[in-house]
Amino acid sequence: MNFLVTKNSRKVRSSRWLALGAAIGIILLTAPRLARSDNFVFYFPKSHSILVTKRYGGVQYLPVLKILNLFGQVGGQKKKRKSLEVWLNSTHIQFRQNNPNVRLNHSRLRLQQPVRVIDGEWMVPVDFVTSILPTIVNQTVEYQQGENRIFVGGLRPNSFTLHMTPLQEGAQLTIQFTGPVNLRTAAQNGKWILYLGSHPVEPLQSEFQFHNPYVAQVKFDDHDGQPKLIVTPAEPGLDFFPKLGEGAKVIVANILTPGATAAAQVPAPSAAAISSTPQPAQATPPTPSPAPAAIPALAPNSSLPAVVLDAGHGGTDIGAQGKDGLLEKNLTLQLVAQAQKALEATGKYRVVLTRNGDVNVGFDQRAAEANFASPIAFISFHAGDMGPSTPRVMVYSYRPSSPLAMAPEPDAKSIFVNWDRVQLRYMGQSSRLAVDLQRDLERTTKVATTPPMEVPVKVLESIAAPAVAIEVGSLDPNSNSSALTNPPFQKEIGAAVVAAIEQLQGGQ
Ligand SMILES: [Zn+2]
């Protein structure tokens, strides 16, 4: 999957190669694939669209009919050799070739540059999007001069600041966003890519160069409509530990010499949960060296090992529903609360929740919050249709949907976390945790259980820790769900969670 070069931008480049001749073509062919594209992204409150720009006499142009089509049905158009008339909603718009004046009904507006017909397509200079478009579509349009993106309809993009802090054997990037982002990682051409989710980002600065032995450059890119940061390491073979925290508003990424653990470099947050060393939180010695700046503060008791509890579903995603109207999203919150209480009562663990209250949380966001905590375990709670006998409990751990996904990672030496694959490293520990948890559930709830199953559970896929899902049932339109909301039953599940975590900690 290559998100970084769209078909359209390729087409533009290839026609340019033909025009410029083979010699220059070869140079362009060897240019990095992440080169600046000619895409222009229109961000709407719930979607985005990409148009390809063209240059004419040093001026950037956009296809005007395609722009108007993004905002409504073009009611009619009359194309002549020298003029174009368009009807959109109640507006009659007239463009003239090589003329900067545009007629809107009976008024006349002026562009900074003339309208052109380029390769047979009517094109307007980019200033059209701020000088004329808002009047036609009656919506606010925000555009930062020189950028290839606009925000329509009062959409507030996130912006961010970035700091680099040198570490003993690496560097730490701290990226502070103005609003929550998602985080999904990938690697391409020796660079690390941090996908930031679908909410648009407007960078105050889009390229950061460093004179540092670990990180050479960080670049913001969204020319495919996917906001992302591209991190170029100063040399190959370094390890990369990105994490998302602080209400999903801060990304901290450690770039380290292989073998150097982040925990030894900085007091917190430790990234050692994604190395192969078990139980990083306990193994971390107190660090006497002064703390580098810009490390996000962690919750109190952050020295305790973290257990992440994930209440499935939430917000508009209600999950399953019982005969008496019990919703899975509410039941999972109850189960999480009981397990949290039981874990905290031991005084040995700190609980991190992926969801607080009745809100929608995406899989990536759950994984990002979880991985930021460097947890010793991740437990997701669900409820569903499990047939006529109730209550019942099932435990699942992760298996990829296709055996191909089990193939070794391209660079097996690197412990870079590619989020599509990270749970693969924990499958053994996860299935052991599932076996323990199932046995403990059977013991505490006295409910007959079946052996854990390995299935492609999406929410477990990107978790950098031993991870399991518990499903209780039956929650379906034909079953009475009172057995599932019964407080003793929920407490027994909490007790089983504690027992399984204790075994995980005790018996490596
Ligand atoms: Zn569910």
Side-chain angles (χ1 to χ4, degrees):
M1 247 183 327
N2 175 13
F3 295 110
L4 294 164
V5 181
T6 69
K7 265 187 202 150
N8 282 337
S9 63
R10 253 189 215 142
K11 211 187 288 167
V12 170
R13 278 191 214 136
S14 60
S15 65
R16 209 185 274 162
W17 296 344
L18 291 175
L20 293 174
I24 297 171
I26 287 160
I27 296 165
L28 286 174
L29 272 171
T30 56
R33 291 165 87 198
L34 300 169
R36 177 187 151 81
S37 92
D38 301 306
N39 284 352
F40 198 100
V41 188
F42 285 72
Y43 287 102
F44 296 91
K46 291 210 147 78
S47 63
H48 69 264
S49 296
I50 294 165
L51 297 183
V52 178
T53 66
K54 286 178 184 171
R55 293 218 162 246
Y56 186 99
V59 178
Q60 191 180 24
Y61 278 88
L62 283 162
V64 70
L65 286 172
K66 287 181 182 149
I67 295 177
L68 296 177
N69 272 317
L70 298 178
F71 289 88
Q73 202 67 42
V74 172
Q77 52 173 292
K78 209 191 278 176
K79 258 187 209 171
K80 292 185 185 158
R81 217 170 67 81
K82 292 276 180 200
S83 78
L84 169 70
E85 285 178 80
V86 181
W87 285 264
L88 183 83
N89 304 329
S90 56
T91 312
H92 171 235
I93 314 156
Q94 189 173 21
F95 303 94
R96 289 185 178 282
Q97 192 178 354
N98 303 330
N99 191 323
N101 295 321
V102 178
R103 241 177 202 296
L104 287 192
N105 294 334
H106 298 292
S107 57
R108 202 176 71 174
L109 296 169
R110 191 179 169 86
L111 294 165
Q112 284 166 15
Q113 303 285 338
V115 173
R116 305 284 187 190
V117 178
I118 307 170
D119 302 332
E121 193 168 27
W122 282 82
M123 309 283 284
V124 284
V126 166
D127 78 275
F128 174 83
V129 300
T130 48
S131 60
I132 296 182
L133 187 63
T135 314
I136 301 174
V137 300
N138 198 22
Q139 289 190 64
T140 61
V141 173
E142 270 182 65
Y143 171 64
Q144 190 81 40
Q145 184 107 36
E147 299 291 349
N148 275 10
R149 67 183 73 83
I150 67 164
F151 306 101
V152 180
L155 184 58
R156 298 249 62 90
N158 286 330
S159 63
F160 63 86
T161 54
L162 185 144
H163 300 278
M164 197 272 288
T165 312
L167 303 176
Q168 238 168 6
E169 287 183 75
Q172 182 174 65
L173 294 170
T174 305
I175 307 141
Q176 173 87 50
F177 293 87
T178 53
V181 295
N182 276 357
L183 179 62
R184 173 158 282 271
T185 64
Q188 192 178 21
N189 300 340
K191 295 167 196 267
W192 301 308
I193 303 167
L194 305 173
Y195 288 98
L196 303 172
S198 57
H199 192 80
V201 174
E202 182 169 45
L204 302 168
Q205 183 184 342
S206 54
E207 257 184 67
F208 302 82
Q209 307 288 345
F210 300 103
H211 296 285
N212 177 281
Y214 300 93
V215 54
Q217 187 196 56
V218 179
K219 199 177 153 195
F220 176 80
D221 174 89
D222 68 343
H223 79 266
D224 54 2
Q226 297 193 72
K228 64 182 101 52
L229 292 164
I230 300 162
V231 181
T232 308
E235 55 174 273
L238 295 172
D239 288 333
F240 186 57
F241 302 95
K243 285 164 177 264
L244 177 66
E246 298 250 308
K249 285 189 188 168
V250 175
I251 292 175
V252 177
N254 289 332
I255 296 146
L256 299 171
T257 309
T261 64
Q265 302 275 327
V266 290
S270 149
I274 46 179
S275 77
S276 52
T277 321
Q279 294 165 38
Q282 290 191 328
T284 306
T287 318
S289 60
I295 295 167
L298 288 185
N301 290 329
S302 64
S303 59
L304 293 176
V307 176
V308 177
L309 301 178
D310 174 60
H313 310 275
T316 53
D317 171 17
I318 60 170
Q321 188 166 1
K323 191 180 183 176
D324 43 7
L326 177 67
L327 303 179
E328 181 181 358
K329 66 169 184 176
N330 295 331
L331 177 60
T332 58
L333 274 184
Q334 293 172 13
L335 294 169
V336 159
Q338 289 294 351
Q340 177 176 16
K341 219 194 275 178
L343 282 165
E344 287 176 348
T346 66
K348 294 191 226 167
Y349 309 103
R350 120 186 111 92
V351 170
V352 175
L353 305 179
T354 57
R355 167 157 83 89
N356 274 306
D358 187 17
V359 287
N360 281 81
V361 186
F363 290 126
D364 289 349
Q365 206 177 327
R366 290 172 198 258
E369 293 280 2
N371 293 345
F372 190 75
S374 298
I376 54 164
F378 174 96
I379 302 174
S380 185
F381 291 81
H382 286 264
D385 186 349
M386 296 176 81
S389 83
T390 186
R392 285 181 64 193
V393 193
M394 272 294 295
V395 181
Y396 301 92
S397 64
Y398 178 75
R399 172 177 65 77
S401 51
S402 100
L404 273 181
M406 293 287 286
E409 294 175 59
D411 181 3
K413 269 203 306 204
S414 165
I415 41 179
F416 166 67
V417 184
N418 194 337
W419 282 24
D420 293 338
R421 317 180 63 93
V422 65
Q423 180 57 210
L424 297 180
R425 301 172 187 191
Y426 297 89
M427 281 177 65
Q429 285 169 274
S430 296
S431 74
R432 255 176 288 147
L433 175 61
V435 168
D436 287 347
L437 186 55
Q438 182 243 330
R439 204 182 38 225
D440 292 325
L441 283 165
E442 197 162 74
R443 185 173 52 78
T444 61
T445 64
K446 311 281 189 299
V447 170
T449 58
T450 45
M453 283 171 64
E454 292 185 2
V455 288
V457 185
K458 183 75 185 159
V459 74
L460 304 181
E461 180 182 76
S462 303
I463 304 298
V468 296
I470 296 178
E471 184 168 30
V472 301
S474 196
L475 189 64
D476 64 89
N478 303 314
S479 302
N480 185 330
S481 54
S482 59
L484 308 178
T485 50
N486 183 20
F489 174 70
Q490 294 189 352
K491 281 203 181 105
E492 287 154 10
I493 289 178
V497 166
V498 171
I501 295 296
E502 299 273 49
Q503 269 157 290
L504 178 78
Q505 284 292 80
Q508 281 291 318

